[in-house]
Amino acid sequence: MTADQELDALGLLCPLPVLKARKRLKAMAPGEVLCLVADDPAAVIDVPHFCAESGFDLVSQDAEGSATRYFIRK
């Protein structure tokens, strides 16, 4: 999957990955895709919940070692 923008949230703990994603998505155009890379264990729960509550589409999530890539469509 390709993304229009990528956000590196490695090393950040809850709630920072979601807060940074929200800020970045706010500035993006509808239909654009953000790739959020996070290694916070809580992100596997927080990111899908954030997307569902905010009306964003979690297109996919892929684990890569200790990190996970979340593709979020605005």
Side-chain angles (χ1 to χ4, degrees):
M1 166 127 228
T2 59
D4 298 292
Q5 294 187 36
E6 184 166 320
L7 176 60
D8 181 352
L10 295 173
L12 300 179
L13 298 177
C14 177
L16 289 176
V18 167
L19 293 176
K20 288 187 175 287
R22 178 184 316 187
K23 183 176 181 180
R24 181 71 64 91
L25 285 160
K26 186 176 181 181
M28 294 173 66
E32 287 188 318
V33 175
L34 173 67
C35 176
L36 170 65
V37 182
D39 58 359
D40 177 14
V44 295
I45 296 168
D46 293 344
V47 173
H49 179 74
F50 159 71
C51 291
E53 293 294 314
S54 301
F56 299 122
D57 183 23
L58 179 59
V59 179
S60 69
Q61 65 184 58
D62 305 308
E64 292 183 1
S66 64
T68 303
R69 298 172 70 83
Y70 302 91
F71 291 89
I72 306 167
R73 179 174 288 118
K74 179 173 182 178

